[in-house]
Amino acid sequence: MRDLVAETQLDVRQLVAPLFVREGIDQAQPVASLPGVMQHTRASLREEVRQLADLGVRAVILFGVPEVKDDLGSGAFDPQGIVQVALRELSADVGDRMVLMADLCVDEYTSHGHCGVLDGPAGHPHTSVDNDATLEIYGRIAVAQADAGAQVVAPSGMMDGQVGAIRAALDSAGHSSTAILAYSAKYASGLYGPFRDAVDCAIVGGGDRKSYQQDWRNAREALVEVHADISQGADMVMVKPALSYLDIIAAVKAAVDVPVAAYHVSGEYAMIKAAAANGWIDHDAVAGEQLTAIRRAGADVILTYLARWYAQAAAGKAR
Ligand code: PBG
């Protein structure tokens, strides 16, 4: 009877699995702070995505770890960059049954670790990210990713005007059907720590992203960002992180008509794994509760490192 009247459903078809692919390694490397998550080789990524597809997962989002980083993050738009190469391979393997998404940012690719190009020397107190110069680079990344087979590009850098710039670049390159999942309300959270291990990213000089990501004390500016992104052409909008921001997810869901995504981020995943490893919480109970809570708050789509676990649990094959 409880099932009969349950208001919220969680289904593997609503999950997106974030995956990391690293250039220049010949064996997949575990990420210590994200148990169960790997930095993949191209080959192990293909195998992982095939298995996810067989388990019923319908979408993946790729993050690249380049061998060489530079000031511009040029590996992000190089047609031979690691994500572009991987996208071409995955398109051939599973392009007919999987939505291929690509995170669109430069922080994994820049020597200084910021999400955009800098207007001065890295680490200098007066140096900041050059918003408009970064937009031009984001346009090039979008086109490179779409050329390589991305069906959805997901700008995560929080530059002002990024969705409009990317939409224009995609359209003028003939990619009018490539969708944009905008990381619209992205907070300058402490919960991204394990992700930065996964992509070997550190901000030079110990800076932070507070000049372009949101202040967690504020809710209303999330709606300003979401409305701006939709007016510039976002097909889906995202709130990130998810669990500490359920109020934001609910407010966004009430305010817009486009699909709403939430990113259950690396720190949220790591907390479940660490507490469960200590025997302090029941992994499966808490993981299911948290993902369901994100759906209950209003997320249509959840990006989560738990996608594989959930797909296996749903298939009756949980550990
Ligand atoms: C930026 C990006 C980040 C995450 C997704 N895209 C890192 C950041 O903003 O610092 C974090 C995701 C996670 O913690 O799981 N390319």
Side-chain angles (χ1 to χ4, degrees), residues 53-159:
D54 291 344
L55 284 165
V57 176
R58 298 280 178 84
V60 294
I61 181 163
L62 294 192
F63 295 89
V65 188
E67 214 167 358
V68 180
K69 306 193 184 211
D70 61 23
D71 283 356
L72 289 183
S74 48
F77 54 80
D78 182 343
Q80 297 312 319
I82 183 64
V83 161
Q84 282 69 257
V85 172
L87 281 168
R88 284 193 289 271
E89 291 176 339
L90 296 181
S91 276
D93 292 347
V94 296
D96 55 343
R97 57 187 178 132
M98 199 82 158
V99 179
L100 299 176
M101 304 186 174
D103 183 79
L104 195 170
C105 196
V106 291
D107 62 326
E108 297 93 2
Y109 301 89
T110 50
S111 42
H112 46 76
H114 275 289
C115 297
V117 291
L118 303 182
D119 64 2
H124 189 280
H126 292 160
T127 293
S128 39
V129 169
D130 185 335
N131 189 93
D132 293 1
T134 302
L135 295 184
E136 196 263 323
I137 290 181
Y138 284 2
R140 291 165 70 179
I141 302 172
V143 172
Q145 292 177 337
D147 282 346
Q151 293 139 2
V152 179
V153 298
S156 61
M158 290 295 280
M159 295 302 127

